[in-house]
Amino acid sequence: MFLRAAKESRMQASSVPYSLLDLSPIPEGGDAGESMRHSLDLAQHAERWGYRRYWLAEHHNMPGIASAATSVLIGFVANGTSTIRVGSGGIMLPNHSPLVIAEQFGTLEALFPGRIDLGLGRAPGSDQMTARALRRSATHDTADTFPQDVEELQAYFDDPRPGQRLRAVPGAGLKVPLWLLGSSLFSAQLSASMGLPFAFASHFAPGFMRQAVDLYRRTFRPSATLDKPYVMLGLNVFGADTDDEARRLFSSLQQQFLALVRGTPGRIRPPVDDIESMWNETEAAHIRRSLACSVVGSPETVRAGMQQFVDDLRPDELMLTAQIYDHRARLRSFEIAAEAGRQLVAATAPAL
């Protein structure tokens, strides 16, 4: 299924697919139910604007993120849309047994055939106290068994074998497309060795981006799933009618990262006019490094910035994201990003 989609995308060599990553952010003054309804509204707009996928991310014990029960929210979004692919960006597999995830995503695929993606990460997506509360394993670090867990999950989606006693029902034979997500060389190497598509979290951890993409492409082994390497890169895009207004919207994400640096995570805060007055030099340097893969500005600035990113790194697909306080401003930002995405031209020169 993914192999066919990848081949079709390469036939249209002049374009780069663009997708949307949502954490269903909870703003100050809002609540989780409102945020999830806003996520559905955004997904419906994204479908009309030409986004290929709408992914939701698993996080726990985070006051500003409503997508903890990721598979439930995926079902809510998929039920309210009709054509856009909906999936996880990602499910943190160390928190779950592979069989349970196979059953959950087998259920989603059975309900919404041909529209479900399963992106997998090996981090817990939370702090150690929360990871223990999830109770996947009290005796060892399940991140150590991530490669084996991915293989087990793949097997549950394969066609059942004669005499097979343990099956995912639903799930068996549905071949739900798997992606590996990461921000390290480990994830790149594992994706390449398993012949799976690779999504790099450059939108918040770009440090190893170039090395990871290069390693993945150089060492990729074709599989029954994918014949050539396929790279998706995360990119923060904050668009508004003017550069100044976009920079102001961006300050909500900067404040969110500042709160994480200080160990005080909370809900999405309103934008401010002077973010520089809120942090010290060390904090500012860390946040700028973390958010280096960001395009912030007017429609023209966004178009030029997204094209430069594509020219530089040659991703096969972009995964765009934006933590914006006001829902209407968020809709407008993703509309601007889609307008720029429709104008993207794939780069042909080698990536640096």
Side-chain angles (χ1 to χ4, degrees):
M1 184 182 300
F2 182 87
L3 179 60
R4 181 171 64 251
K7 286 181 177 177
E8 288 173 356
S9 73
R10 288 191 182 91
M11 290 173 64
Q12 301 172 350
S14 63
S15 63
V16 178
Y18 52 96
S19 296
L20 195 158
L21 174 64
D22 182 20
L23 275 64
S24 198
I26 306 174
E28 288 187 349
D31 59 50
E34 179 184 50
S35 293
M36 289 184 276
R37 290 187 289 273
H38 283 166
S39 286
L40 175 57
D41 183 50
L42 176 58
Q44 291 168 339
H45 280 84
E47 187 169 71
R48 295 195 293 271
W49 292 332
Y51 284 87
R52 173 173 285 187
R53 311 173 202 279
Y54 192 97
W55 281 6
L56 292 144
E58 176 185 354
H59 291 273
H60 300 279
N61 196 29
M62 298 291 286
I65 297 175
S67 55
T70 316
S71 59
V72 177
L73 193 50
I74 288 171
F76 176 64
V77 169
N79 190 57
T81 53
S82 58
T83 58
I84 194 170
R85 296 192 67 89
V86 187
S88 60
I91 289 293
M92 300 297 107
L93 195 54
N95 295 337
H96 312 277
S97 80
L99 177 59
V100 168
I101 295 303
E103 292 171 340
Q104 289 179 359
F105 279 78
T107 299
L108 289 167
E109 178 65 23
L111 289 170
F112 310 104
R115 294 182 55 210
I116 301 300
D117 295 326
L118 176 49
L120 301 167
R122 66 187 285 262
S126 59
D127 57 79
Q128 289 302 311
M129 180 181 68
T130 307
R132 287 193 296 270
L134 289 166
R135 293 188 176 91
R136 167 78 196 280
S137 173
T139 59
H140 68 283
D141 184 358
T142 50
D144 292 341
T145 63
F146 182 70
Q148 293 78 19
D149 288 345
V150 174
E151 290 179 346
E152 181 182 345
L153 184 56
Q154 279 186 311
Y156 288 131
F157 288 132
D158 284 343
D159 294 323
R161 300 182 302 277
Q164 181 177 336
R165 299 180 61 186
L166 181 60
R167 300 183 183 184
V169 182
L174 294 183
K175 296 180 169 57
V176 175
L178 299 186
W179 292 69
L180 293 192
L181 283 54
S183 58
S184 69
L185 301 184
F186 176 91
S187 301
Q189 189 170 26
L190 182 61
S191 301
S193 67
M194 298 187 74
L196 291 173
F198 177 50
F200 191 85
S202 37
H203 59 293
F204 72 88
F208 290 100
M209 175 180 59
R210 293 177 186 274
Q211 299 97 310
V213 170
D214 177 66
L215 177 64
Y216 171 72
R217 285 173 169 154
R218 283 191 294 103
T219 62
F220 180 85
R221 299 177 185 173
S223 67
T225 302
L226 193 62
D227 63 342
K228 294 180 180 179
Y230 194 93
V231 174
M232 176 190 287
L233 295 180
L235 182 66
N236 297 297
V237 177
F238 284 71
D241 292 334
T242 67
D243 287 346
D244 286 343
E245 179 57 22
R247 283 191 290 266
R248 188 171 182 276
L249 295 177
F250 187 50
S251 70
S252 291
L253 179 61
Q254 292 170 313
Q255 290 180 77
Q256 186 181 28
F257 269 69
L258 180 60
L260 290 173
V261 168
R262 293 177 175 176
T264 58
R267 297 188 173 188
I268 306 300
R269 297 173 182 173
V272 295
D273 293 321
D274 184 16
I275 187 67
E276 298 296 332
S277 66
M278 301 184 68
W279 54 30
N280 60 45
E281 291 183 7
T282 301
E283 292 168 335
H286 173 77
I287 294 168
R288 289 187 182 114
R289 284 194 300 270
S290 298
L291 302 179
C293 290
S294 299
V295 175
V296 181
S298 66
E300 179 56 31
T301 301
V302 166
R303 188 203 64 76
M306 287 174 60
Q307 186 64 62
Q308 182 178 357
F309 188 79
V310 167
D311 290 344
D312 186 18
L313 294 154
R314 293 189 302 116
D316 297 287
E317 188 168 338
L318 290 177
M319 179 58 76
L320 309 180
T321 188
Q323 298 282 80
I324 295 177
Y325 175 78
D326 178 75
H327 181 58
R328 290 183 181 179
R330 193 166 176 241
L331 288 176
R332 177 58 180 150
S333 179
F334 278 111
E335 182 181 22
I336 289 171
E339 291 168 356
R342 288 191 290 270
Q343 300 177 59
L344 286 176
V345 177
T348 57
L352 298 177

